């Protein structure tokens, strides 16, 4: 990765990525978007069906939940940078639909240089990891979302502070209306906490610590 490459140049390079087999299955690379530099960076798992077709992160049903949680926290998506741990949609055919498949650790690792490049250029003070896959990509270990949700932590790979919280898809899959509302509130409270904490932190000039190989 040329260190002088801009975020949009890196995004163009990511469009030609063949580091794992997922480029054969996805329609296109879905690179991160939003404010850059930004105090807050939100990391999801991977693009979903709509993101894959449109080429933008969080523009499907999970993105609507995320927009709602951001608005409840007093933020808009243009205030933050949004990306995913894996930049291609992993799916398998199920009748006429494309069924989401969770990326494995090799795929997450293959995509890590793109996440590193985004972090280096966006230089967030705090990274919000949405769900376990994002948490693993940022912390360098598998987090227990139930126990670790809403805590400010230090990750293995980046200088930025880390907060792990619900993935918006988990909110969509809630069993009851009450559970859904509760998790949505928790997500927005976590985003608010992250925002408040990020305001106390200085931007780090060297966001990268080491790389997973
Ligand atoms: N889920 C994600 O993790 N990322 C997206 O961009 C959309 C859905």
């Amino acid at each position: 990765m040329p260190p002088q490459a801009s975020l949009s140049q890196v995004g163009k390079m990511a469009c030609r990525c063949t580091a794992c087999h997922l480029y054969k299955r996805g329609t296109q690379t879905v690179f991160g978007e939003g404010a850059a530099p930004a105090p807050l960076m939100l990391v999801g798992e991977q693009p979903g069906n709509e993101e894959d077709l449109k080429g933008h992160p969080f523009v499907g049903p999970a993105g609507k939940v995320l927009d709602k949680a951001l608005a409840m926290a007093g933020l808009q998506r243009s205030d933050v940078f949004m990306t995913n741990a894996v930049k291609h949609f992993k799916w398998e055919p199920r009748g006429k639909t494309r069924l989401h498949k969770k990326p494995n650790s090799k795929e997450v690792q293959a995509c890590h240089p793109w996440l590193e490049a985004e972090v280096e250029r966006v230089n967030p003070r705090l990274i919000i990891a949405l769900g376990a896959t994002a948490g693993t990509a940022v912390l360098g270990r598998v987090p227990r979302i139930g126990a670790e949700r809403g805590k400010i932590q230090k990750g293995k790979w980046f200088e930025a502070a880390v907060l792990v919280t619900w993935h918006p898809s988990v909110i969509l899959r809630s069993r009851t209306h009450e559970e859904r509302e509760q998790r949505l509130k928790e997500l927005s409270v976590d985003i608010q906490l992250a925002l408040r904490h990020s305001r106390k932190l200085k931007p780090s000039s060297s966001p990268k610590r080491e790389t997973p190989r």
Side-chain angles (χ1 to χ4, degrees):
M1 194 85 57
Q4 72 284 4
S6 68
L7 190 61
S8 70
Q9 286 169 333
V10 174
K12 283 188 188 124
M13 288 183 229
C15 290
R16 299 192 299 271
C17 184
T18 56
C20 78
H21 66 110
L22 291 182
Y23 76 96
K24 294 181 193 160
R25 225 183 291 185
T27 308
Q28 56 193 315
T29 299
V30 180
F31 201 65
E33 287 179 359
L40 285 185
M41 177 158 161
L42 275 66
V43 181
E45 181 191 83
Q46 62 167 345
N49 186 57
E50 282 192 45
E51 288 80 10
D52 172 72
L53 296 173
K54 293 180 180 157
H56 304 288
F58 286 105
V59 290
K64 292 204 172 61
V65 173
L66 192 52
D67 283 343
K68 203 165 169 186
L70 283 169
M72 286 162 72
L75 287 170
Q76 299 180 343
R77 61 166 60 209
S78 56
D79 296 323
V80 300
F81 188 83
M82 281 185 194
T83 191
N84 284 297
V86 170
K87 312 290 194 238
H88 279 109
F89 179 36
K90 182 176 180 183
W91 59 277
E92 64 182 22
R94 202 46 78 77
K96 282 186 182 155
T97 59
R98 303 193 297 169
L99 193 72
H100 163 276
K101 280 205 82 189
K102 194 175 155 69
N104 62 36
S105 57
K106 277 202 176 135
E107 291 149 359
V108 174
Q109 210 167 307
C111 229
H112 208 271
W114 301 119
L115 183 62
E116 283 170 39
E118 289 172 311
V119 173
E120 280 171 26
R121 285 153 186 84
V122 175
N123 205 9
R125 296 172 196 193
L126 195 145
I127 300 173
I128 300 178
L130 303 164
T133 301
T136 307
V138 173
L139 290 171
R141 63 173 175 81
V142 182
R144 288 169 303 134
I145 305 299
E148 295 181 44
R149 212 209 85 235
K151 297 198 171 102
I152 306 288
Q153 315 197 34
K154 210 72 198 136
K156 188 171 179 190
W157 311 126
F158 306 116
E159 286 297 333
V162 178
L163 179 142
V164 179
T165 187
W166 296 120
H167 189 285
S169 299
V170 170
I171 299 177
L172 283 173
R173 289 198 301 268
S174 300
R175 282 159 303 171
T176 62
H177 175 74
E178 288 72 29
E179 188 177 70
R180 182 189 288 217
E181 290 302 303
Q182 175 66 24
R183 288 175 173 173
L184 176 64
K185 200 167 150 202
E186 288 169 352
L187 175 59
S188 81
V189 166
D190 290 348
I191 294 172
Q192 250 172 332
L193 172 75
L195 179 64
R196 274 203 310 276
H197 190 82
S198 74
R199 286 184 175 144
K200 293 190 216 145
L201 299 169
K202 289 204 183 83
S204 90
S205 50
S206 57
K208 192 169 74 170
R209 244 195 235 164
E210 37 177 331
T211 53
R213 290 288 174 260

